[in-house]
Amino acid sequence: MWGVPRVAKPIGILGGTFNPIHLGHLRSGVELCDRLDLAELRFIPCAIPPHRPVPEVSATARSEMVRQAIQGAPQLRVDERELRRAGPSYTVDTLRELRQENASTPLCLIMGSDAFGNLTTWHEWDQLIDLAHLIVISRPGARPSLNSRLSQLVRDCEVNDARSMHHAASGLLLFQELTPLAISSSEIRRLVGAGKSIRYLVPDAVNDYILANGLYQEKPP
């Protein structure tokens, strides 16, 4: 790997429903930019999630909350391509579009260890490693339980040095240990529905947007 010319700083890709985005997402994003030396990290709101029910809050509103959340953070961006695409928001389609736009730039698809453990259920999952590097966020000392196909993927593609990602456009897998903030979007929705404060769990701009637009309020019987 060494001796290969540096290609470019990688672009990080973090998809999700972001329903809503919270400080745990943002802190992880900033840490990953530093640890992986990313050119930027793109939050890509999922319009129609293939593996879970479609959120009641619109994709447009969820994307706007991401936009509000990342103000003042130049390395963080929102990418709305999945909102403009019809049908389920398949990650492989997003990576193909990004690869066409960034022919030789390293792309780093970031996912949690639970998502990686279920990767073989994703649409065209075996194409992902050809389009991007895979960055699997794990808690210190923990590894997900893997089936035989994922175990083989790890044996074939795992590296231990984030600098490796700068010398190839795709094809590598890195387990990156982070200790995420213990914040969940589902708990935030529960608190809002119960009329409780979510200050300091989300950026102030997101808190204000949720309250101003009446999001996550319990519907009257």
Side-chain angles (χ1 to χ4, degrees), residues 128-171:
L128 300 176
I129 195 72
D130 295 327
L131 296 164
H133 303 306
L134 304 185
I135 311 297
V136 182
I137 305 305
S138 60
R139 293 183 179 276
R143 285 283 185 101
S145 177
L146 303 177
N147 62 36
S148 60
R149 288 177 291 177
L150 289 177
S151 296
Q152 186 64 52
L153 180 66
V154 171
R155 287 192 292 271
D156 291 343
C157 302
E158 185 180 12
V159 294
N160 297 311
D161 189 340
R163 291 175 296 178
S164 303
M165 308 287 173
H166 291 250
H167 298 270
S170 62

Short mmCIF file of all heavy atoms in Angstrom, two decimals, residues 128-171:
data_model
loop_
_atom_site.label_atom_id
_atom_site.label_comp_id
_atom_site.label_asym_id
_atom_site.label_seq_id
_atom_site.Cartn_x
_atom_site.Cartn_y
_atom_site.Cartn_z
N LEU A 128 -20.91 -2.64 -2.45
CA LEU A 128 -20.55 -1.44 -1.69
C LEU A 128 -19.04 -1.27 -1.59
O LEU A 128 -18.51 -0.17 -1.74
CB LEU A 128 -21.17 -1.48 -0.30
CG LEU A 128 -22.71 -1.56 -0.24
CD1 LEU A 128 -23.17 -1.68 1.21
CD2 LEU A 128 -23.33 -0.34 -0.90
N ILE A 129 -18.32 -2.36 -1.31
CA ILE A 129 -16.88 -2.29 -1.10
C ILE A 129 -16.14 -1.91 -2.39
O ILE A 129 -15.02 -1.40 -2.34
CB ILE A 129 -16.36 -3.63 -0.53
CG1 ILE A 129 -14.94 -3.47 0.04
CG2 ILE A 129 -16.43 -4.72 -1.58
CD1 ILE A 129 -14.86 -2.70 1.31
N ASP A 130 -16.77 -2.16 -3.54
CA ASP A 130 -16.15 -1.75 -4.81
C ASP A 130 -16.32 -0.27 -5.08
O ASP A 130 -15.58 0.31 -5.90
CB ASP A 130 -16.76 -2.54 -5.98
CG ASP A 130 -16.46 -4.03 -5.91
OD1 ASP A 130 -15.36 -4.39 -5.42
OD2 ASP A 130 -17.31 -4.83 -6.32
N LEU A 131 -17.27 0.35 -4.41
CA LEU A 131 -17.57 1.76 -4.63
C LEU A 131 -16.98 2.67 -3.57
O LEU A 131 -16.76 3.86 -3.82
CB LEU A 131 -19.08 1.96 -4.68
CG LEU A 131 -19.81 1.27 -5.83
CD1 LEU A 131 -21.31 1.20 -5.56
CD2 LEU A 131 -19.53 2.00 -7.14
N ALA A 132 -16.72 2.12 -2.38
CA ALA A 132 -16.26 2.94 -1.26
C ALA A 132 -15.50 2.08 -0.26
O ALA A 132 -15.60 0.85 -0.26
CB ALA A 132 -17.45 3.61 -0.57
N HIS A 133 -14.73 2.73 0.59
CA HIS A 133 -14.22 2.07 1.79
C HIS A 133 -15.37 1.98 2.80
O HIS A 133 -16.28 2.81 2.80
CB HIS A 133 -13.09 2.89 2.42
CG HIS A 133 -11.93 3.15 1.50
ND1 HIS A 133 -11.27 2.15 0.83
CD2 HIS A 133 -11.33 4.32 1.14
CE1 HIS A 133 -10.29 2.67 0.11
NE2 HIS A 133 -10.31 3.98 0.26
N LEU A 134 -15.33 0.98 3.66
CA LEU A 134 -16.32 0.84 4.72
C LEU A 134 -15.68 1.17 6.06
O LEU A 134 -14.65 0.58 6.41
CB LEU A 134 -16.89 -0.58 4.74
CG LEU A 134 -17.52 -1.11 3.46
CD1 LEU A 134 -18.13 -2.49 3.70
CD2 LEU A 134 -18.57 -0.14 2.92
N ILE A 135 -16.28 2.09 6.77
CA ILE A 135 -15.82 2.47 8.11
C ILE A 135 -16.89 2.02 9.09
O ILE A 135 -18.03 2.51 9.04
CB ILE A 135 -15.63 3.99 8.24
CG1 ILE A 135 -14.80 4.54 7.07
CG2 ILE A 135 -15.00 4.33 9.59
CD1 ILE A 135 -13.40 4.02 6.99
N VAL A 136 -16.54 1.09 9.96
CA VAL A 136 -17.50 0.52 10.90
C VAL A 136 -17.20 1.09 12.29
O VAL A 136 -16.11 0.87 12.84
CB VAL A 136 -17.43 -1.02 10.93
CG1 VAL A 136 -18.48 -1.58 11.89
CG2 VAL A 136 -17.64 -1.58 9.52
N ILE A 137 -18.16 1.82 12.83
CA ILE A 137 -17.99 2.43 14.15
C ILE A 137 -18.30 1.39 15.21
O ILE A 137 -19.40 0.81 15.25
CB ILE A 137 -18.92 3.65 14.32
CG1 ILE A 137 -18.70 4.64 13.19
CG2 ILE A 137 -18.69 4.30 15.68
CD1 ILE A 137 -17.28 5.10 13.03
N SER A 138 -17.34 1.13 16.07
CA SER A 138 -17.53 0.15 17.14
C SER A 138 -17.12 0.76 18.47
O SER A 138 -16.27 1.66 18.53
CB SER A 138 -16.71 -1.12 16.86
OG SER A 138 -15.33 -0.82 16.77
N ARG A 139 -17.72 0.27 19.51
CA ARG A 139 -17.32 0.69 20.84
C ARG A 139 -15.98 0.05 21.20
O ARG A 139 -15.67 -1.04 20.70
CB ARG A 139 -18.39 0.32 21.88
CG ARG A 139 -19.69 1.08 21.70
CD ARG A 139 -20.71 0.75 22.77
NE ARG A 139 -21.94 1.50 22.58
CZ ARG A 139 -22.13 2.74 23.01
NH1 ARG A 139 -21.17 3.35 23.68
NH2 ARG A 139 -23.28 3.36 22.80
N PRO A 140 -15.18 0.71 22.05
CA PRO A 140 -13.86 0.15 22.38
C PRO A 140 -13.95 -1.30 22.86
O PRO A 140 -14.74 -1.62 23.74
CB PRO A 140 -13.37 1.07 23.49
CG PRO A 140 -14.03 2.39 23.20
CD PRO A 140 -15.40 2.03 22.66
N GLY A 141 -13.18 -2.17 22.23
CA GLY A 141 -13.11 -3.56 22.63
C GLY A 141 -14.23 -4.43 22.14
O GLY A 141 -14.28 -5.62 22.46
N ALA A 142 -15.15 -3.89 21.34
CA ALA A 142 -16.33 -4.65 20.90
C ALA A 142 -16.29 -4.84 19.39
O ALA A 142 -15.92 -3.93 18.65
CB ALA A 142 -17.62 -3.95 21.30
N ARG A 143 -16.67 -6.02 18.93
CA ARG A 143 -16.83 -6.30 17.51
C ARG A 143 -18.19 -6.95 17.31
O ARG A 143 -18.64 -7.74 18.14
CB ARG A 143 -15.75 -7.26 17.01
CG ARG A 143 -14.36 -6.64 16.82
CD ARG A 143 -14.31 -5.81 15.55
NE ARG A 143 -12.97 -5.31 15.30
CZ ARG A 143 -12.13 -5.85 14.42
NH1 ARG A 143 -12.51 -6.90 13.70
NH2 ARG A 143 -10.94 -5.34 14.23
N PRO A 144 -18.87 -6.63 16.20
CA PRO A 144 -20.17 -7.23 15.96
C PRO A 144 -20.04 -8.71 15.64
O PRO A 144 -19.00 -9.19 15.17
CB PRO A 144 -20.70 -6.45 14.75
CG PRO A 144 -19.47 -5.99 14.05
CD PRO A 144 -18.47 -5.71 15.14
N SER A 145 -21.10 -9.47 15.87
CA SER A 145 -21.16 -10.87 15.46
C SER A 145 -21.43 -10.91 13.96
O SER A 145 -22.37 -10.27 13.47
CB SER A 145 -22.27 -11.59 16.23
OG SER A 145 -22.38 -12.92 15.80
N LEU A 146 -20.60 -11.69 13.22
CA LEU A 146 -20.68 -11.65 11.76
C LEU A 146 -20.97 -13.02 11.19
O LEU A 146 -20.50 -14.04 11.70
CB LEU A 146 -19.34 -11.15 11.18
CG LEU A 146 -18.85 -9.78 11.67
CD1 LEU A 146 -17.50 -9.47 11.06
CD2 LEU A 146 -19.87 -8.69 11.34
N ASN A 147 -21.75 -13.05 10.10
CA ASN A 147 -21.96 -14.30 9.39
C ASN A 147 -20.73 -14.62 8.54
O ASN A 147 -19.77 -13.83 8.47
CB ASN A 147 -23.24 -14.26 8.55
CG ASN A 147 -23.21 -13.19 7.48
OD1 ASN A 147 -22.18 -12.91 6.87
ND2 ASN A 147 -24.38 -12.59 7.21
N SER A 148 -20.74 -15.74 7.87
CA SER A 148 -19.55 -16.20 7.16
C SER A 148 -19.16 -15.25 6.03
O SER A 148 -17.97 -15.04 5.76
CB SER A 148 -19.77 -17.61 6.62
OG SER A 148 -20.88 -17.64 5.74
N ARG A 149 -20.15 -14.66 5.34
CA ARG A 149 -19.83 -13.79 4.22
C ARG A 149 -19.18 -12.49 4.70
O ARG A 149 -18.22 -12.00 4.07
CB ARG A 149 -21.10 -13.49 3.41
CG ARG A 149 -21.59 -14.69 2.61
CD ARG A 149 -22.88 -14.39 1.88
NE ARG A 149 -24.00 -14.24 2.81
CZ ARG A 149 -25.23 -13.93 2.44
NH1 ARG A 149 -25.52 -13.74 1.16
NH2 ARG A 149 -26.20 -13.82 3.33
N LEU A 150 -19.67 -11.95 5.81
CA LEU A 150 -19.06 -10.74 6.35
C LEU A 150 -17.69 -11.04 6.95
O LEU A 150 -16.77 -10.22 6.85
CB LEU A 150 -19.98 -10.10 7.38
CG LEU A 150 -21.24 -9.44 6.81
CD1 LEU A 150 -22.10 -8.91 7.95
CD2 LEU A 150 -20.90 -8.33 5.83
N SER A 151 -17.56 -12.19 7.57
CA SER A 151 -16.25 -12.59 8.11
C SER A 151 -15.21 -12.66 6.99
O SER A 151 -14.06 -12.23 7.15
CB SER A 151 -16.35 -13.93 8.83
OG SER A 151 -17.18 -13.83 9.97
N GLN A 152 -15.62 -13.18 5.85
CA GLN A 152 -14.71 -13.24 4.70
C GLN A 152 -14.38 -11.85 4.20
O GLN A 152 -13.22 -11.57 3.83
CB GLN A 152 -15.33 -14.07 3.58
CG GLN A 152 -14.41 -14.30 2.40
CD GLN A 152 -13.19 -15.11 2.79
OE1 GLN A 152 -13.31 -16.20 3.38
NE2 GLN A 152 -12.01 -14.60 2.48
N LEU A 153 -15.37 -10.97 4.18
CA LEU A 153 -15.12 -9.59 3.76
C LEU A 153 -14.09 -8.93 4.66
O LEU A 153 -13.17 -8.23 4.19
CB LEU A 153 -16.43 -8.80 3.79
CG LEU A 153 -16.36 -7.33 3.37
CD1 LEU A 153 -15.99 -7.19 1.89
CD2 LEU A 153 -17.67 -6.61 3.65
N VAL A 154 -14.21 -9.16 5.97
CA VAL A 154 -13.25 -8.60 6.91
C VAL A 154 -11.85 -9.16 6.65
O VAL A 154 -10.86 -8.42 6.61
CB VAL A 154 -13.69 -8.86 8.36
CG1 VAL A 154 -12.59 -8.48 9.35
CG2 VAL A 154 -14.98 -8.09 8.68
N ARG A 155 -11.75 -10.46 6.46
CA ARG A 155 -10.44 -11.07 6.20
C ARG A 155 -9.80 -10.51 4.93
O ARG A 155 -8.59 -10.29 4.86
CB ARG A 155 -10.58 -12.59 6.09
CG ARG A 155 -10.83 -13.29 7.42
CD ARG A 155 -10.66 -14.79 7.29
NE ARG A 155 -11.70 -15.40 6.46
CZ ARG A 155 -12.85 -15.85 6.92
NH1 ARG A 155 -13.13 -15.75 8.22
NH2 ARG A 155 -13.75 -16.39 6.11
N ASP A 156 -10.62 -10.26 3.92
CA ASP A 156 -10.09 -9.81 2.64
C ASP A 156 -9.73 -8.33 2.63
O ASP A 156 -8.80 -7.93 1.90
CB ASP A 156 -11.12 -10.07 1.53
CG ASP A 156 -11.32 -11.54 1.23
OD1 ASP A 156 -10.46 -12.35 1.63
OD2 ASP A 156 -12.35 -11.88 0.61
N CYS A 157 -10.45 -7.52 3.41
CA CYS A 157 -10.38 -6.07 3.19
C CYS A 157 -9.95 -5.24 4.40
O CYS A 157 -9.68 -4.04 4.25
CB CYS A 157 -11.75 -5.55 2.72
SG CYS A 157 -12.34 -6.32 1.20
N GLU A 158 -9.88 -5.83 5.59
CA GLU A 158 -9.62 -5.02 6.79
C GLU A 158 -8.21 -4.43 6.79
O GLU A 158 -7.24 -5.10 6.44
CB GLU A 158 -9.83 -5.83 8.06
CG GLU A 158 -9.68 -4.98 9.32
CD GLU A 158 -9.88 -5.76 10.61
OE1 GLU A 158 -9.92 -7.00 10.58
OE2 GLU A 158 -9.99 -5.10 11.67
N VAL A 159 -8.14 -3.18 7.20
CA VAL A 159 -6.87 -2.51 7.47
C VAL A 159 -6.96 -1.92 8.87
O VAL A 159 -8.04 -1.78 9.44
CB VAL A 159 -6.57 -1.40 6.44
CG1 VAL A 159 -6.35 -1.99 5.05
CG2 VAL A 159 -7.69 -0.36 6.41
N ASN A 160 -5.81 -1.58 9.43
CA ASN A 160 -5.76 -1.05 10.79
C ASN A 160 -5.31 0.40 10.86
O ASN A 160 -5.26 0.97 11.95
CB ASN A 160 -4.83 -1.91 11.66
CG ASN A 160 -5.33 -3.34 11.80
OD1 ASN A 160 -6.50 -3.56 12.11
ND2 ASN A 160 -4.46 -4.31 11.55
N ASP A 161 -4.99 0.98 9.72
CA ASP A 161 -4.46 2.34 9.68
C ASP A 161 -5.34 3.18 8.78
O ASP A 161 -5.49 2.89 7.59
CB ASP A 161 -3.03 2.31 9.15
CG ASP A 161 -2.33 3.66 9.29
OD1 ASP A 161 -3.02 4.69 9.42
OD2 ASP A 161 -1.09 3.68 9.24
N ALA A 162 -5.93 4.24 9.34
CA ALA A 162 -6.83 5.10 8.57
C ALA A 162 -6.12 5.75 7.39
O ALA A 162 -6.76 6.11 6.40
CB ALA A 162 -7.43 6.17 9.47
N ARG A 163 -4.79 5.88 7.46
CA ARG A 163 -4.07 6.51 6.34
C ARG A 163 -4.17 5.68 5.07
O ARG A 163 -4.00 6.21 3.96
CB ARG A 163 -2.60 6.71 6.72
CG ARG A 163 -2.39 7.78 7.80
CD ARG A 163 -0.95 7.85 8.21
NE ARG A 163 -0.53 6.59 8.85
CZ ARG A 163 0.72 6.37 9.28
NH1 ARG A 163 1.65 7.29 9.11
NH2 ARG A 163 1.03 5.23 9.86
N SER A 164 -4.45 4.39 5.22
CA SER A 164 -4.61 3.55 4.03
C SER A 164 -5.72 4.05 3.13
O SER A 164 -5.67 3.87 1.90
CB SER A 164 -4.91 2.10 4.45
OG SER A 164 -3.93 1.59 5.30
N MET A 165 -6.73 4.69 3.72
CA MET A 165 -7.88 5.15 2.95
C MET A 165 -7.53 6.28 1.99
O MET A 165 -8.28 6.57 1.07
CB MET A 165 -8.98 5.65 3.91
CG MET A 165 -9.37 4.68 4.99
SD MET A 165 -10.33 3.30 4.34
CE MET A 165 -10.46 2.26 5.80
N HIS A 166 -6.38 6.90 2.19
CA HIS A 166 -5.98 8.03 1.36
C HIS A 166 -5.26 7.59 0.09
O HIS A 166 -4.94 8.42 -0.76
CB HIS A 166 -5.08 8.97 2.16
CG HIS A 166 -5.78 9.71 3.24
ND1 HIS A 166 -6.04 11.06 3.20
CD2 HIS A 166 -6.31 9.28 4.42
CE1 HIS A 166 -6.68 11.44 4.31
NE2 HIS A 166 -6.85 10.37 5.06
N HIS A 167 -5.00 6.30 -0.04
CA HIS A 167 -4.17 5.83 -1.15
C HIS A 167 -4.93 4.93 -2.12
O HIS A 167 -4.33 4.34 -3.01
CB HIS A 167 -2.95 5.10 -0.60
CG HIS A 167 -2.07 5.98 0.24
ND1 HIS A 167 -1.04 6.71 -0.28
CD2 HIS A 167 -2.10 6.26 1.57
CE1 HIS A 167 -0.46 7.40 0.70
NE2 HIS A 167 -1.08 7.14 1.81
N ALA A 168 -6.22 4.80 -1.92
CA ALA A 168 -7.07 4.02 -2.82
C ALA A 168 -8.46 4.61 -2.77
O ALA A 168 -8.89 5.17 -1.75
CB ALA A 168 -7.09 2.55 -2.42
N ALA A 169 -9.20 4.49 -3.87
CA ALA A 169 -10.53 5.10 -3.95
C ALA A 169 -11.58 4.30 -3.20
O ALA A 169 -12.61 4.84 -2.77
CB ALA A 169 -10.94 5.27 -5.41
N SER A 170 -11.37 2.98 -3.04
CA SER A 170 -12.37 2.11 -2.42
C SER A 170 -11.69 0.79 -2.06
O SER A 170 -10.49 0.60 -2.30
CB SER A 170 -13.54 1.85 -3.39
OG SER A 170 -13.08 1.20 -4.57
N GLY A 171 -12.48 -0.13 -1.47
CA GLY A 171 -12.01 -1.49 -1.32
C GLY A 171 -11.48 -1.89 0.04
O GLY A 171 -11.14 -3.06 0.24
#
